[in-house]
Amino acid sequence: GVEHVLDSRSLEFADHIRESTGGKGVDVVLNSLEGEAMERSLALLKPFGRFVELGKRDYYANTRVGLRPLRQNASYFAVDLDRLPVERPGETEELVQTMLDLLASGALRPLPHLTFGFSDVTEAFRVLQASEHIGKIVLVPDPAVRPIAAPPPRFAADSAGTYVVTGGLRGFGLATAQWLAGRGARHLALIGRSGIPGAEATAAIAALRSQGITVSLHACDVGDAVAVESTLALIRGSMPPVRGIVHAAAAVDDGLVRDLTAQRCDTVLRAKLGGAVHLDRLTRSDDLHLFLLYSSATTLLGAPGQGSYVAANAGIEALAEARRSAGLPALAVGWGPIADVGMLARDTAVRDALARRLGATPLPAADALAGLDALLDAGVAVAACARVDWAQMTAALPSLSAPRFDNVRRGGGGGSAGDLRRTLAELAPAEGGALLRDLVRKELAAILRISPDRIDGKTPLATLGVDSLMAVELQLALEAHLGAGAPALLLTDGINVEQLAERLLRTLTDEPADSAVTTAAMIERFEPDVAAAELVGGGHE
């Protein structure tokens, strides 16, 4: 029979068991320790005992373990529970049910364990790292935590009113019209420059009409005040009262500042900002509950080569602020790139260039519009919605290292990654190495909960007590500081603080210094056929 079932957590505990059994050992050891601790656990076995290895690191690291403890007919069992349900699902189901039955009957008792609430998960990992427990650590939901049901859509369209959508005959404007229909709108007036929908839009409009929704199409240059006034008069005369405006029309004409002309700027400003101004002035007498302007994340983040586009969007955001101040409804949303409708859907080269160079990952239109409820409910005049890789984008747009982005940029609040990397670039290798050694020592001390001066730079991290969980924590902390991937910490190769700092310095100095390149030079390196890739948030039209 089995005399003891142990979950060994420290060398000291193994020694204690050896002493408490008078050196005779035990029949079964369940082990999840590594290296020397594993060998000490093996030594606890009686003749014909069983050693059950639950850990994985020694398998993958191909750790060498002496066989001497097995000489007395002991058995070694390697257990990888992850493989069991994959390769033997039926047997797994039977084993789980058997265990549940034995636990319910009291024949089996749970291992010794410590319980932590979800809110104390950090402390739970600290206890695990420090080997301050025997048995298992269990996380349980906090008593106050309850599942929160997703709230129902908060924006409700007026089924008796008309919603006017500029740029509504294609792209994101058309997708917004469909979103309005999903929120209860029954009357839609869609405006486009030509008034003629493409094949895809024709199918979408037919689908809306099949649902009993009235859809009228209008040709109008929204930059022309007279045309806007006459179009609105036509809509008011043939449809229910106007209750909402969505301004999604835009024009893009990218170019360096040195190449821009008044005419090129006017083309962009006229459609985006001019259209918004006309709609604002000409609907003041309408009882609106929605005045939605589509801006771009370029206003917030910047976009090389899009000065006029950014200026137009900044203008409509100022208009939204002015309307709010006057007690009128208004929201300008700075959208990031949209993946499946509009310009990026038509030009995959531009879309791929955005993700590759600027770290702006396009959002599906459905995901973007799903956030509109929360944006409208927030009661603000201007908001932005974009999926951004801050480290990658900061390398391409150095302006993002400004303090106002600290709260959203990785490593924000403690100095930006770009600042630290630029500092390293300005230092001599010896000085840069010293700076990185201090950084590694500081982060390691916080993880080990000791003073930095107690960390010897030449002592292997594993010897200092750094386990695999701590190594991951250290790597993430370094990446947050540096804005770049830190070298994987292979504890088995005896790496120490000085060696890690040297690797970091080599990694950083080998990277291309895009952040130091001027905006103009960076744009000129782009391929001509991907010129629109300078967009960060344009491309939703």
Side-chain angles (χ1 to χ4, degrees):
V2 177
E3 293 183 1
H4 300 279
V5 178
L6 308 175
D7 183 15
S8 305
R9 297 305 304 171
S10 69
L11 294 175
E12 293 78 7
F13 184 65
D15 291 339
H16 171 72
I17 295 300
R18 166 67 63 182
E19 294 172 2
S20 66
T21 60
K24 296 179 180 179
V26 296
D27 290 320
V28 176
V29 173
L30 300 181
N31 179 73
S32 59
L33 297 177
E34 303 159 357
E36 180 186 358
M38 178 180 176
E39 295 184 7
R40 297 279 281 276
S41 296
L42 274 168
L44 293 175
L45 287 174
K46 281 183 175 181
F48 297 92
R50 285 176 288 169
F51 185 89
V52 183
E53 176 56 53
L54 304 177
K56 292 186 178 182
R57 182 174 173 185
D58 285 317
Y59 302 151
Y60 291 104
N62 196 25
T63 303
R64 296 181 181 275
V65 179
L67 295 178
R68 183 182 298 276
L70 302 179
R71 67 189 185 281
Q72 294 181 307
N73 295 308
S75 301
Y76 180 100
F77 295 87
V79 177
D80 185 348
L81 289 177
D82 291 341
R83 301 303 308 163
L84 188 59
V86 173
E87 299 179 5
R88 299 185 179 183
E91 186 175 339
T92 301
E93 185 177 356
E94 293 178 7
L95 286 172
V96 170
Q97 187 57 54
T98 300
M99 293 293 293
L100 291 174
D101 293 342
L102 291 172
L103 287 167
S105 67
L108 288 181
R109 297 187 305 277
L111 291 169
H113 60 277
L114 294 176
T115 301
F116 291 85
F118 284 176
S119 59
D120 297 321
V121 63
T122 300
E123 182 60 26
F125 273 105
R126 294 297 187 198
V127 172
L128 179 65
Q129 291 170 343
S131 297
E132 296 175 352
H133 68 296
I134 295 174
K136 298 297 182 184
I137 290 179
V138 180
L139 295 176
V140 298
D142 294 318
V145 174
R146 295 289 184 271
I148 301 175
R154 284 165 289 211
F155 175 79
D158 182 355
S159 61
T162 297
Y163 292 84
V164 179
V165 183
T166 69
L169 295 181
R170 65 174 186 167
F172 201 36
L174 178 59
T176 305
Q178 295 170 308
W179 178 85
L180 285 167
R183 291 295 187 268
R186 310 301 294 172
H187 306 277
L188 298 171
L190 308 183
I191 295 177
R193 180 179 291 272
S194 69
I196 303 173
E200 186 176 349
T202 298
I205 292 167
L208 289 171
R209 287 171 172 165
S210 70
Q211 301 170 32
I213 298 170
T214 301
V215 183
S216 63
L217 310 182
H218 305 269
C220 176
D221 176 3
V222 294
D224 184 336
V226 175
V228 173
E229 185 172 17
S230 62
T231 300
L232 287 174
L234 177 62
I235 292 170
R236 293 189 187 102
S238 59
M239 302 184 74
V242 176
R243 295 284 283 133
I245 299 290
V246 178
H247 181 40
V252 178
D253 187 4
D254 297 340
L256 298 179
V257 171
R258 69 190 182 200
D259 299 326
L260 293 180
T261 63
Q263 183 178 358
R264 291 182 65 182
C265 290
D266 182 68
T267 300
V268 177
L269 294 170
R270 197 167 175 273
K272 174 74 77 169
L273 180 55
V277 170
H278 301 329
L279 290 167
D280 167 51
R281 179 175 60 83
L282 295 171
T283 60
R284 289 291 178 116
S285 60
D286 294 291
D287 184 19
L288 301 181
H289 75 138
L290 176 69
F291 194 89
L292 184 59
L293 302 171
Y294 279 0
S295 179
S296 166
T298 56
T299 312
L300 176 67
L301 304 175
Q306 287 201 298
S308 55
Y309 185 76
V310 172
N313 285 302
I316 68 170
E317 291 181 6
L319 176 62
E321 295 277 8
R323 283 183 60 93
R324 276 280 178 177
S325 298
L328 299 172
L331 171 64
V333 180
W335 295 110
I338 304 300
D340 49 351
V341 295
M343 187 188 72
L344 294 187
R346 297 188 297 270
D347 194 336
T348 56
V350 172
R351 182 187 62 203
D352 294 343
L354 277 170
R356 183 175 66 252
R357 292 192 172 124
L358 297 181
T361 304
L363 276 170
D367 291 354
L369 291 170
L372 258 184
D373 289 309
L375 297 177
L376 290 166
D377 193 54
V380 297
V382 179
C385 179
R387 181 181 291 158
V388 173
D389 182 332
W390 287 97
Q392 185 177 347
M393 186 170 281
T394 300
L397 299 173
S399 59
L400 298 187
S401 61
R404 66 175 173 151
F405 295 106
D406 279 350
N407 288 336
V408 288
R409 187 180 53 239
R410 178 188 289 181
S416 73
D419 292 339
L420 179 56
R421 293 171 72 182
R422 279 192 292 276
T423 299
L424 288 169
E426 295 169 358
L427 295 176
E431 296 173 322
L435 178 62
L436 287 173
R437 284 194 295 274
D438 289 342
L439 174 62
V440 173
R441 186 176 282 108
K442 174 185 173 184
E443 292 299 331
L444 187 57
I447 293 170
L448 294 173
R449 293 188 291 181
I450 61 176
S451 173
D453 57 19
R454 292 182 56 190
I455 297 177
D456 182 357
K458 297 184 181 299
T459 301
L461 300 187
T463 303
L464 291 172
V466 177
D467 59 19
S468 55
L469 288 174
M470 293 179 179
V472 171
E473 188 175 352
L474 177 59
Q475 184 170 346
L476 292 176
L478 294 175
E479 288 181 355
H481 278 289
L482 300 170
L489 303 185
L490 304 176
L491 301 182
T492 53
D493 67 2
I495 191 171
N496 57 38
V497 169
E498 294 185 358
Q499 292 168 334
L500 177 55
E502 182 181 347
R503 288 190 189 181
L504 286 171
L505 184 62
R506 189 164 57 247
T507 298
L508 293 170
T509 54
D510 285 346
E511 291 183 351
D514 281 348
S515 60
V517 180
T518 64
T519 299
M522 179 176 66
I523 295 172
E524 290 175 345
R525 295 206 322 268
F526 290 174
E527 301 89 38
D529 59 339
V530 196
E534 288 90 77
L535 288 171
V536 174
H540 52 71
E541 297 81 9

